[in-house]
Amino acid sequence: MVSLISSNFNNLRPDSKLTRMSQRRKFIKQSLMGSALFIPGVSSIAEATAPSLFKGEKPLILSTWNHGLPANAAAVEKLKSGGSIIDAVETGVKDTELDLSNLSVGLQGLPDREGITTLDASIMSGDGSCGAVAFVRQVKHPISLARVVMEKTPHVMIVGEGAKQLAIAEGFPIEKEELSPGAKKAYLKWKETSQYKPVINIENHDTIGMIGMDAKGNLAGSCTTSGLSYKMHGRVGDSPIIGAGLFVDNEVGAATATGLGESIIRICGSFLIVELMRQGRTPQEACEEAVRRLIAKNSKDIKDIQAGFLAMNKDGEVGAYAVHPGFNFAQATLQNNVMIDSGSHFKKG
Ligand code: ASP
């Protein structure tokens, strides 16, 4: 096992995937902008650069990456139809879990190095209730299973076969285990060289993390992913780890993360941001400090590591920051849903 890993570590060629993922990101961005008027619950879409666009407006929903736009729209619709904030953050990311064009969330996500897609998800409410599942197979909506862990079990996290058993017991459909056409094609291509390195490039992370606040100021968050593509079988990232990929506290605010999970777990990224906000930092200052901390603790490989943080405080102020350029997020109120580019520690060029 060890020799297999190290031989693959030595077999790196990061160029082509970066290009492919950049192109895909650009395509999704163009498609979303082009189809903006058809997204339910969205009355206007624009590109902006400052994270404070709707400062103080409630309800407020934030989601990582371009798939955040339709996810936000679904979350806002849920709120409009009387759903709670926890319903909204679950419903919002379920949209992404079903998005066949997304290769890093849901069962259509890229598999691990054995060719098996495994999913991680977490959900948290501002009162401290939380649930998570990790290393789950054949379940279309890991976020809903995480909610079951939160609401129907005395536990916080259930993984692997146990999570599948819980899904069966709760009546979740168990899907046939086969790769989506897109994932299969990418996996077969990857297998030609089996290049593997646990730090990947800037564009290889597309987890959805969503944080939201209802009109009364109650907070909740959700995070769901198929994790790092071609990861070791059994690898779990930050997304299902409460405090790493997601943390929510009604007294302070909420934060979520995307990017190389190992680097985020090392600094308890989302918990760190909420605690910095508790000490008086703005969400923006807290995200920037978390990125500085992450860089300090992962400095050796930092040129290959992307991670981005997204946060809001209970006053509806917003912050976002990433290690490298390229991270963006969607911000929605009842009337608007816009993409915003995050700032980054390292600048373009
Ligand atoms: N954070 C996720 C993980 O490491 C990956 C991502 O954000 O795309 O599993």
Side-chain angles (χ1 to χ4, degrees):
M1 189 66 164
V2 173
S3 62
L4 176 67
I5 296 163
S6 36
S7 70
N8 284 334
F9 279 6
N10 294 332
N11 190 9
L12 304 172
R13 206 186 55 198
D15 51 342
S16 56
K17 187 183 280 176
L18 174 60
T19 314
R20 262 200 332 272
M21 296 301 280
S22 301
Q23 284 167 345
R24 186 168 71 83
R25 173 83 27 84
K26 210 175 286 165
F27 170 75
I28 292 170
K29 189 168 188 171
Q30 283 163 355
S31 322
L32 281 168
M33 299 311 287
S35 62
L37 293 173
F38 300 105
I39 298 175
V42 180
S43 60
S44 75
I45 292 192
E47 286 243 295
T49 48
S52 56
L53 213 57
F54 311 127
K55 188 177 155 187
E57 272 191 57
K58 294 175 196 167
L60 180 64
I61 306 279
L62 308 177
S63 300
T64 56
W65 303 117
N66 288 318
H67 47 222
L69 274 182
N72 278 1
V76 166
E77 278 306 300
K78 192 74 191 174
L79 286 175
K80 282 183 177 168
S81 65
S84 66
I85 191 66
I86 200 85
D87 293 334
V89 297
E90 179 193 0
T91 303
V93 302
K94 275 174 82 170
D95 182 273
T96 322
E97 287 178 339
L98 292 183
D99 176 1
L100 289 179
S101 71
N102 190 313
L103 292 183
S104 56
V105 179
L107 288 177
Q108 62 283 346
L110 292 172
D112 63 18
R113 56 194 298 161
E114 318 299 334
I116 300 167
T117 301
T118 67
L119 306 179
D120 300 338
S122 63
I123 191 160
M124 186 165 192
S125 157
D127 66 1
S129 316
C130 51
V133 290
F135 190 44
V136 189
R137 293 158 73 161
Q138 297 173 268
V139 174
K140 214 182 243 175
H141 288 301
I143 196 64
S144 300
L145 194 54
R147 188 167 176 183
V148 165
V149 174
M150 174 172 87
E151 292 179 344
K152 298 191 180 176
T153 79
H155 305 301
V156 165
M157 181 184 263
I158 298 189
V159 307
E161 190 53 31
K164 191 165 143 189
Q165 292 310 320
L166 178 67
I168 292 167
E170 285 294 319
F172 284 60
I174 299 301
E175 308 299 326
K176 201 162 151 211
E177 193 150 54
E178 62 185 1
L179 294 180
S180 67
K184 189 167 178 189
K185 198 167 155 210
Y187 177 63
L188 291 178
K189 179 93 192 118
W190 174 80
K191 267 190 36 167
E192 285 171 14
T193 50
S194 300
Q195 297 160 28
Y196 182 73
K197 194 185 174 200
V199 284
I200 311 289
N201 59 55
I202 311 307
E203 295 283 339
N204 197 21
H205 304 282
D206 301 277
T207 298
I208 184 153
M210 174 180 280
I211 49 179
M213 178 164 51
D214 68 14
K216 292 184 180 146
N218 296 307
L219 292 153
S222 56
C223 193
T224 178
T225 188
S226 55
L228 208 56
S229 46
Y230 318 127
K231 60 196 174 188
M232 286 175 66
H233 190 60
R235 178 267 188 190
V236 170
D238 61 305
S239 309
I241 297 182
I242 298 296
L246 178 69
F247 198 72
V248 183
D249 186 337
N250 268 348
E251 287 176 18
V252 180
T256 191
T258 179
L260 187 74
E262 286 75 4
S263 70
I264 295 162
I265 293 169
R266 279 186 194 112
I267 62 156
C268 277
S270 295
F271 179 73
L272 173 65
I273 289 168
V274 171
E275 290 313 295
L276 288 167
M277 292 193 293
R278 194 189 304 279
Q279 292 162 21
R281 309 271 185 116
T282 64
Q284 187 59 35
E285 289 167 347
C287 288
E288 291 182 17
E289 177 57 27
V291 166
R292 272 194 291 276
R293 188 85 60 93
L294 185 147
I295 291 169
K297 299 293 179 199
N298 296 272
S299 56
K300 197 163 64 68
D301 300 311
I302 201 64
K303 72 173 183 19
D304 295 319
I305 295 177
Q306 175 65 311
F309 295 107
L310 184 56
M312 70 167 71
N313 64 16
K314 64 182 173 54
D315 298 325
E317 291 178 306
V318 170
Y321 211 58
V323 176
H324 294 284
F327 176 44
N328 61 2
F329 66 96
Q331 177 171 314
T333 62
L334 290 181
Q335 285 78 38
N336 297 285
N337 193 6
V338 299
M339 284 312 299
I340 299 180
D341 288 329
S342 159
S344 58
H345 181 89
F346 297 107
K347 310 296 174 201
K348 273 204 175 93

